[in-house]
Amino acid sequence: MSKRMVLEVCAFNIQSAVIAERAGAARVELCDNPVEGGTNPSYGTIRIVREKISIQLYPILRPRSGNYFYDEAELAIVKEDIRVCKELGCDGISVGIQTITGDIDMERFKQIVEWAYPMGVTCNRAFDATPDPYKALEDIIACGCERVLTSGQASAAPDAGKLLGQLVQQANGRISIMPGAGVRSSNIKKLIAESGAYEYHTSARKVIPNPMLHGNPAVLDSGNIYMADIEELKAILAIMQ
């Protein structure tokens, strides 16, 4: 019997988290800083999002952008953020940690999973930065994670259907392989056929026009507001179902 297909939405703000639930998604990965690939959301963001949505909530625990090789002070931040996520009633966390050579840091990842219990743990795209995805998958399984968020070590998951399918076969039900990055309604049908995965991850994001009535063109660091597109999410879910 095949498993029910699940959509996780990467939400960069509270509005996107609410849209994700309204569209019918099963889980929100809550992040800040979309330009840097996602970093820790604030305490206030996690608390208010938890109050606003009833679907699963997995904040990303990534204290900075760049790599996933953390020093002891950064690991202490992760530990404290795990405590906060438990306190606020999160269902799990999305996190990853590597050694200086790029392998999964099994010793410290096992410690993170232990700290997080009974919350679930998704290994985030630190997996995509490892030198050997097949070894990394076994390491992550041994650490006790419940899923791997991965683009198949490509820029976008739809470009890596073959490797994703191989990872699903290797996992053999021991862990969920969740393709993510570049997943849209225009490509998910092919990705499902190639990978055989049952969980998928998307931000379905679009840029929202700036509503401000005044702006200074000399200020260049304001960035964009990204919002989940509810119609795109519904289209993805319709194909998955």
Side-chain angles (χ1 to χ4, degrees), residues 86-240:
K86 282 186 177 181
E87 174 189 313
L88 295 177
C90 296
D91 301 281
I93 57 172
S94 175
V95 66
I97 189 165
Q98 293 174 275
T99 66
I100 193 67
T101 60
D103 292 312
I104 295 298
D105 187 333
M106 293 184 66
E107 180 180 353
R108 296 204 289 176
F109 213 159
K110 286 179 180 178
Q111 181 69 78
I112 288 170
V113 171
E114 184 178 316
W115 289 335
Y117 183 82
M119 294 190 300
V121 178
T122 298
C123 177
N124 62 23
R125 291 188 64 205
F127 173 86
D128 289 321
T130 60
D132 182 342
Y134 306 107
K135 177 182 183 300
L137 180 57
E138 294 301 327
D139 291 345
I140 291 165
I141 291 170
C143 289
C145 294
E146 59 184 354
R147 74 181 54 82
V148 181
L149 168 59
T150 174
S151 62
Q153 300 207 329
S155 296
D159 299 328
K162 181 179 178 181
L163 176 58
L164 290 166
Q166 291 171 344
L167 293 171
V168 169
Q169 290 295 316
Q170 180 183 339
N172 194 28
R174 295 175 294 161
I175 193 170
S176 173
I177 305 298
M178 180 170 65
V183 175
R184 307 288 295 188
S185 59
S186 59
N187 55 40
I188 192 168
K189 185 175 181 179
K190 181 172 180 284
L191 183 56
I192 290 170
E194 290 179 339
S195 70
Y198 67 91
E199 293 192 296
Y200 293 85
H201 172 101
T202 184
S203 64
R205 69 190 187 191
K206 61 181 179 180
V207 176
I208 300 299
N210 189 340
M212 295 297 295
L213 300 179
H214 171 77
N216 182 350
V219 177
L220 303 177
D221 60 354
S222 57
N224 292 316
I225 300 173
Y226 294 100
M227 200 77 69
D229 183 338
I230 191 166
E231 296 306 321
E232 171 66 5
L233 288 175
K234 287 180 177 178
I236 291 171
L237 283 160
I239 294 168
M240 290 176 67

Side-chain angles (χ1 to χ4, degrees), residues 48-124:
I48 302 302
V49 168
R50 180 70 289 177
E51 291 176 3
K52 295 289 185 180
I53 68 171
S54 59
I55 59 175
Q56 289 188 338
L57 177 60
Y58 278 57
I60 190 171
L61 299 191
R62 189 180 179 211
R64 57 162 170 78
S65 60
N67 57 59
Y68 298 88
F69 177 62
Y70 299 137
D71 63 22
E72 290 305 313
E74 290 166 329
L75 187 63
I77 291 171
V78 171
K79 183 178 183 181
E80 178 62 13
D81 285 332
I82 288 171
R83 184 193 65 77
V84 167
C85 287
K86 282 186 177 181
E87 174 189 313
L88 295 177
C90 296
D91 301 281
I93 57 172
S94 175
V95 66
I97 189 165
Q98 293 174 275
T99 66
I100 193 67
T101 60
D103 292 312
I104 295 298
D105 187 333
M106 293 184 66
E107 180 180 353
R108 296 204 289 176
F109 213 159
K110 286 179 180 178
Q111 181 69 78
I112 288 170
V113 171
E114 184 178 316
W115 289 335
Y117 183 82
M119 294 190 300
V121 178
T122 298
C123 177
N124 62 23

